[in-house]
Amino acid sequence: MKYQQHFRAGSGLVVALIVLVTIVTLVGFALNLTSNFSRQASRQRTVLHAQTAAESAVEYIYATWKKAIKTNAYAPVVTATFALPSTLHPALAASPATGTGISPVFAPWPLTFPANVTYTTTNQFGTTTGSPTKVKVWNVPGYPGWSGNSYFYKAEASVTAAGNIRQGIRRYLQLTAVPLFQAAIFYEDNLEIHPGPSMTISGLVHTNSDLEALAYTSLKFLNDVSYVGQYRETAPGNWSGTGSGSGYGSPTEKPFWQDDQQSDTSAAKQTQLKQVDRMEPLGSRPAQVFNTTDTNPNNDGFHELIERPNGSYSDPPEIATMRLYNKASLKIEVDSSKDPATTAYLKVSNSSNVTYASTSAVYQQVRAAIVGSTSMYDQRETTNVNVTSLDMGKFNDVIATMGGNYNGVVYITDVSTDAAKDAVRLLNGRVLADDITVATDEGMYIQGDFNTGGSAATDVPSNGTTPGADHVVPGYTEKSVAVAADAVTVLSNNWNDTNAASTLTARVATNTTVNAGMITGNVPTDYNGSGNPSGGVHNLPRFLEMWLNPSNGWQESNFTYYGSMIQLFKSTSFTGLWYTNNTYWPPNRIWNFDDLFLTNPPKGSVQATQLSRGRWERF
């Protein structure tokens, strides 16, 4: 009996030992498993922290890059510009004792450069130093039909945390410059197309504000159209229905699109017409650059681009780099209040603002090209204007003499202090020796055929009776040309100053062709509460003649235009209202976007810029 009792006791002890061993084993396994879970969780937290640090570093590189681009007036910068600070986001780098929530299991890992974070900011297709690679982008994201020149950078950051855990993040950065002269029409303000004669618009159309496409007998868009504000095809409440061409259609008619269908039935409209974000000619929104309430006269609006800077005040870099005065290789200042026979009448300087001596060849040739200053009556402004005329044929000699010092941009202005309106007139511009952009802060008149070749108006095919005929004389190489002014007025081949103040029937225009882009201002609808329409984009180039030819059965004369129209500002000097009495009768408008600008845009071209981040990846 005792043996059985001892056997049972021994068996129970063995079972107990087995159970104990099993429990110990299970506890050990559990502890080991828990430890593994803890290590894995710890590693995952470390990986997450390292990844977060790398991401924050890349974001900082992006912010630093944007600041560098802005400081450089939105021009590309070399990679050496980037200098990152010694720490990023100190809260992430703090020790556990500061209560940041980092577990005491982990050793603190300060985010320092370059101790445990390495980075590169390079161009995507080249080396780690030097200028970024320029790549043509034919479809600018978000802007159908637009192309631009893109510069690519690569931002990388790698972080090594406790346990030799490394996380690397890479992101590509892109700066895209979008020339505005690739559009047939670009407006900063409301783009109005009023009822009038038939009009087909070839080329891109964009406005940073509202687009009012009112009825014509035939208004047709052949390319992409974009707007930022609102799109309307019915007349606004302030459209009076009066003025030039008001009998050509009703505001209830709809535009035509690529499929030759009007808006209500057109399938092409759905792909051609888009509402988009603003295009920024200065890289930043205007509110971030312009200020009309401070004392600085250099930051009041887009009109600054055609003005001379005031040297007594700072000039914002976004504006300074875009000013055509600053871009000009030749600056011509005329004082029409002085005797033209004296040196006080004319000052000529170069891009470094060094004045040419009056005995120099450049000065003498500019002096020969200045026809002189005269007073001419402007029916739209209802006042006399001091006009300084520049003979472009003679100015070709200036370009030849300047040689490599000529960059294609010329600035001319009247610096007299009298109260009269001032303007520049371009004469004899049929044959140009080189690409040229002529800019002024005043008004501008273009008289006669311009950049067409030949020696007479009858030489130009488009000056005949066949609309759409070629716009240059056979054998002439068209130059890439632009003008920039407060207002641009076209005077025909038949213009005569002596008739400027006469009745409209004494100012009869003849066929005229102008091949040039333009940056200019308009007088908006309801200017100063007048209730008067702006005249629309078809009156952005202004007219002072009757484009009806009585010797040709009162047929409308042709104004043939190849170029690109950019409206960035409201006119500040030439503010006469559209279609005041006795001003003009409209021409037969044969207008086309000039494809030359796609491959060779005018010198000193204004461009919009876009900054963006590309794909994100680990490495």
Side-chain angles (χ1 to χ4, degrees):
M1 181 66 68
K2 290 183 179 179
Y3 173 79
Q4 292 177 345
Q5 291 176 344
H6 284 296
F7 178 80
R8 287 195 294 267
S11 298
L13 181 59
V14 171
V15 171
L17 288 173
I18 292 174
V19 170
L20 180 59
V21 170
T22 301
I23 292 173
V24 170
T25 302
L26 290 175
V27 169
F29 179 76
L31 290 174
N32 184 60
L33 186 61
T34 301
S35 177
N36 287 338
F37 284 153
S38 178
R39 284 194 298 272
Q40 290 177 8
S42 175
R43 181 180 178 85
Q44 288 175 352
R45 287 194 295 269
T46 303
V47 169
L48 180 60
H49 281 295
Q51 180 177 317
T52 301
E55 289 176 348
S56 69
V58 168
E59 286 302 304
Y60 194 92
I61 293 173
Y62 176 61
T64 305
W65 173 75
K66 286 199 303 182
K67 182 178 180 180
I69 295 292
K70 181 177 180 181
T71 302
N72 201 41
Y74 292 88
V77 295
V78 297
T79 57
T81 303
F82 301 108
L84 300 183
S86 60
T87 61
L88 286 177
H89 299 286
L92 292 177
S95 66
T98 61
T100 61
I102 301 177
S103 170
V105 173
F106 299 102
W109 43 280
L111 288 172
T112 59
F113 291 95
N116 67 339
V117 176
T118 59
Y119 68 93
T120 59
T121 50
T122 71
N123 70 75
Q124 186 175 356
F125 304 108
T127 61
T128 57
T129 59
S131 299
T133 301
K134 181 173 76 171
V135 179
K136 188 76 171 181
V137 176
W138 290 105
N139 291 300
V140 178
Y143 300 95
W146 287 78
S147 65
N149 296 315
S150 285
Y151 302 82
F152 290 87
Y153 298 79
K154 181 173 62 177
E156 291 181 349
S158 63
V159 175
T160 302
N164 201 31
I165 295 173
R166 176 188 171 279
Q167 287 290 296
I169 300 296
R170 176 185 297 122
R171 196 154 202 176
Y172 294 101
L173 313 178
Q174 182 176 348
L175 165 66
T176 302
V178 184
L180 300 189
F181 272 128
Q182 67 182 290
I185 301 169
F186 181 99
Y187 261 56
E188 169 64 20
D189 300 313
N190 290 345
L191 171 55
E192 302 176 33
I193 306 176
H194 290 174
S198 297
M199 187 174 186
T200 298
I201 301 177
S202 65
L204 298 169
V205 176
H206 173 81
T207 172
N208 275 339
S209 300
D210 296 346
L211 172 57
E212 296 176 357
L214 305 188
Y216 278 66
T217 51
S218 178
L219 166 63
K220 185 175 182 179
F221 295 108
L222 295 181
N223 294 91
D224 291 291
V225 178
S226 54
Y227 63 98
V228 174
Q230 298 180 354
Y231 174 76
R232 291 189 289 269
E233 294 181 344
T234 57
N238 56 13
W239 186 77
S240 65
T242 61
S244 170
S246 62
Y248 284 99
S250 129
T252 60
E253 294 177 355
K254 306 292 185 181
F256 287 80
W257 302 86
Q258 288 176 341
D259 55 7
D260 287 323
Q261 297 295 310
Q262 289 183 288
S263 292
D264 291 341
T265 57
S266 173
K269 177 185 175 182
Q270 306 306 315
T271 57
Q272 283 184 257
L273 181 66
K274 297 292 183 184
Q275 186 174 26
V276 299
D277 293 331
R278 284 180 50 85
M279 287 192 185
E280 299 299 352
L282 296 178
S284 298
R285 291 184 177 273
Q288 297 174 343
V289 181
F290 301 143
N291 188 341
T292 59
T293 62
D294 63 8
T295 58
N296 190 344
N298 292 330
N299 64 353
D300 291 340
F302 283 111
H303 202 274
E304 298 286 354
L305 302 187
I306 63 169
E307 294 180 8
R308 294 167 292 159
N310 187 319
S312 299
Y313 296 84
S314 63
D315 200 6
E318 299 94 331
I319 298 175
T321 304
M322 300 292 280
R323 283 186 190 275
L324 288 165
Y325 178 85
N326 293 342
K327 292 181 179 182
S329 57
L330 192 68
K331 303 170 185 180
I332 304 171
E333 296 180 6
V334 173
D335 189 339
S336 59
S337 66
K338 300 295 193 297
D339 183 352
T342 65
T343 57
Y345 173 75
L346 178 66
K347 176 183 176 182
V348 183
S349 56
N350 63 16
S351 58
S352 300
N353 295 319
V354 176
T355 302
Y356 285 96
S358 60
T359 56
S360 68
V362 170
Y363 181 95
Q364 292 294 326
Q365 289 168 345
V366 170
R367 185 66 189 84
I370 300 291
V371 177
S373 299
T374 186
S375 180
M376 186 189 82
Y377 191 79
D378 187 306
Q379 291 282 354
R380 174 160 173 168
E381 299 301 312
T382 64
T383 189
N384 286 314
V385 177
N386 286 335
V387 179
T388 298
S389 296
L390 183 66
D391 187 317
M392 299 304 296
K394 294 180 179 179
F395 194 80
N396 288 334
D397 295 334
V398 180
I399 295 174
T401 298
M402 292 186 67
N405 295 320
Y406 172 76
N407 69 1
V409 182
V410 176
Y411 192 93
I412 179 170
T413 187
D414 188 339
V415 297
S416 62
T417 57
D418 56 43
K421 293 180 187 292
D422 299 312
V424 174
R425 172 163 48 183
L426 305 183
L427 295 170
N428 191 23
R430 291 190 178 95
V431 177
L432 302 176
D434 205 344
D435 299 343
I436 188 170
T437 293
V438 183
T440 182
D441 53 348
E442 303 160 347
M444 181 178 290
Y445 300 97
I446 301 176
Q447 182 171 332
D449 291 339
F450 197 74
N451 190 27
T452 59
S455 59
T458 54
D459 295 338
V460 188
S462 59
N463 282 350
T465 58
T466 304
D470 198 6
H471 57 294
V472 296
V473 170
Y476 174 71
T477 300
E478 181 189 358
K479 306 305 185 294
S480 183
V481 175
V483 296
D486 183 72
V488 175
T489 302
V490 174
L491 306 175
S492 80
N493 286 301
N494 201 41
W495 176 262
N496 190 323
D497 283 4
T498 59
N499 298 327
S502 301
T503 61
L504 185 57
T505 54
R507 292 175 277 120
V508 178
T510 55
N511 296 329
T512 302
T513 299
V514 171
N515 301 317
M518 63 176 65
I519 300 173
T520 189
N522 71 339
V523 179
T525 292
D526 199 29
Y527 176 73
N528 284 347
S530 65
N532 206 70
S534 72
V537 66
H538 39 299
N539 288 295
L540 187 66
R542 306 179 187 186
F543 305 103
L544 295 175
E545 296 169 270
M546 182 175 73
W547 292 74
L548 289 176
N549 193 339
S551 63
N552 189 29
W554 294 96
Q555 295 293 313
E556 286 182 327
S557 296
N558 298 333
F559 171 50
T560 303
Y561 175 79
Y562 276 72
S564 171
M565 297 181 184
I566 299 176
Q567 181 272 337
L568 287 178
F569 46 80
K570 299 174 179 65
S571 300
T572 62
S573 178
F574 281 66
T575 55
L577 299 179
W578 168 69
Y579 200 65
T580 51
N581 291 333
N582 196 40
T583 302
Y584 80 111
W585 183 267
N588 179 31
R589 299 177 178 91
I590 305 172
W591 289 7
N592 291 275
F593 171 70
D594 200 329
D595 291 336
L596 172 65
F597 292 171
L598 294 177
T599 55
N600 183 24
K603 306 306 179 185
S605 292
V606 177
Q607 60 189 24
T609 55
Q610 183 183 53
L611 304 178
S612 59
R613 287 173 288 189
R615 70 180 186 272
W616 175 96
E617 62 187 19
R618 291 192 179 95
F619 68 95

